[in-house]
Amino acid sequence: MEYCRENVVFTTNELKRMGIVEPLKFGFTVLVDEIPTYNYITEKAVFTGEIVDSKKVYNVVQLEGDELTENIAIYSKRLVMEVDEYMDFVISNKKGYETRDSIGKYLVAENPFYEECKKISLWISNCYLKLYAIEAEVKDGTREIPTVNEVLNLLPVPDFIEG
């Protein structure tokens, strides 16, 4: 824990070395380290070094260059993972297959499940196509970075589900 008096920061250890065991009794206040909310993909909070009213002051700045590119890549991987989980959920809960990958064993023309698995396979492909189109638009700067829910709502409707 850190304490503050007259906008000077002291650690607990520093105060102990000074012989101050109960800093609040000596006019110290607890230093508040409250980072403002920001878009962690495109921005970062930077401590200015200032202390005002026992609170650290932060500036929110836009990420640029490699830092922005790296954050977008990390977020893109997360989106792919979320879409994969969504597809597995839809396929397993609505159609009874184990995962989206398990339908491959039924994609044989003579199999009675062939037509259904063909539709599911096409849906999976279209989901990935939509996801990569969104990613390209974000990288081009023609689209804001969407939330996971926004991406899931933009995916094609699973038309292989009846009712």
Side-chain angles (χ1 to χ4, degrees):
M1 183 175 291
E2 295 179 308
Y3 293 89
C4 187
R5 187 164 77 182
E6 297 175 13
N7 291 329
V8 177
V9 178
F10 298 88
T11 65
T12 305
N13 288 337
E14 289 173 323
L15 293 173
K16 284 181 183 177
R17 283 194 296 270
M18 294 166 52
I20 300 172
V21 180
E22 296 182 48
L24 298 178
K25 289 184 178 180
F26 290 95
F28 290 89
T29 57
V30 175
L31 180 66
V32 177
D33 189 9
E34 188 176 288
I35 299 173
T37 57
Y38 63 95
N39 182 331
Y40 70 93
I41 301 163
T42 59
E43 301 171 323
K44 66 180 174 181
V46 179
F47 176 52
T48 65
E50 289 183 77
I51 307 292
V52 176
D53 297 329
S54 298
K55 292 183 181 180
K56 289 184 175 183
V57 178
Y58 288 88
N59 282 336
V60 175
V61 296
Q62 293 291 315
L63 294 176
E64 296 178 353
D66 291 342
E67 204 171 10
L68 177 60
T69 302
E70 184 179 331
N71 271 14
I72 290 174
I74 290 167
Y75 187 68
S76 292
K77 287 179 184 177
R78 178 174 167 234
L79 282 178
V80 170
M81 184 182 72
E82 294 281 348
V83 169
D84 285 346
E85 287 178 9
Y86 167 74
M87 288 188 292
D88 282 343
F89 172 80
V90 169
I91 292 166
S92 64
N93 284 337
K94 302 297 182 184
K95 295 309 281 184
Y97 296 96
E98 190 173 314
T99 66
R100 69 188 176 288
D101 296 331
S102 65
I103 65 161
K105 62 186 169 192
Y106 298 106
L107 279 171
V108 179
E110 293 81 33
N111 190 302
F113 301 106
Y114 174 74
E115 287 302 318
E116 178 179 81
C117 290
K118 186 173 156 185
K119 286 180 182 179
I120 295 171
S121 182
L122 181 61
W123 175 73
I124 292 169
S125 297
N126 288 333
C127 285
Y128 282 123
L129 287 173
K130 184 63 177 179
L131 180 62
Y132 296 134
I134 292 168
E135 181 181 38
E137 290 171 352
V138 168
K139 287 181 179 177
D140 291 344
T142 58
R143 177 190 281 274
E144 290 291 318
I145 297 173
T147 65
V148 171
N149 284 337
E150 288 170 338
V151 169
L152 294 178
N153 286 330
L154 292 170
L155 294 178
V157 174
D159 59 357
F160 54 87
I161 299 173
E162 294 126 18

